[in-house]
Amino acid sequence: MPTEHLGNYDIEYAGVRLAANSNDWAATVAIFGPSTNPMHRKPVFPSQRVLIDTIFHDEKSAEQEARKAAVAMLERH
């Protein structure tokens, strides 16, 4: 799962296969806020699926769109 530091936040985004025998992927995001202890991140947005109505045909596409969604969420936050 790729992790990226944006401002004071850490984002994790991923493409997750929807079913074991499927070639369809979903986009997931988790956002963590600043913490005084680097061993304990504070979830601002727990890991969950974003872009719910969109199904991707490969993991990379799902990851790219998940990252875009995370950036947009932070801009609104």
Side-chain angles (χ1 to χ4, degrees), residues 3-55:
T3 301
E4 190 171 328
H5 189 75
L6 294 174
N8 290 326
Y9 299 92
D10 290 326
I11 61 170
E12 290 181 348
Y13 50 93
V16 176
R17 191 179 298 263
L18 289 175
N21 296 334
S22 173
N23 288 326
D24 295 331
W25 296 79
T28 62
V29 169
I31 300 175
F32 302 92
S35 172
T36 56
N37 183 343
M39 297 299 290
H40 301 289
R41 299 188 297 175
K42 292 180 181 176
V44 173
F45 186 82
S47 181
Q48 58 189 280
R49 186 173 171 186
V50 293
L51 306 168
I52 295 171
D53 296 331
T54 306
I55 295 173

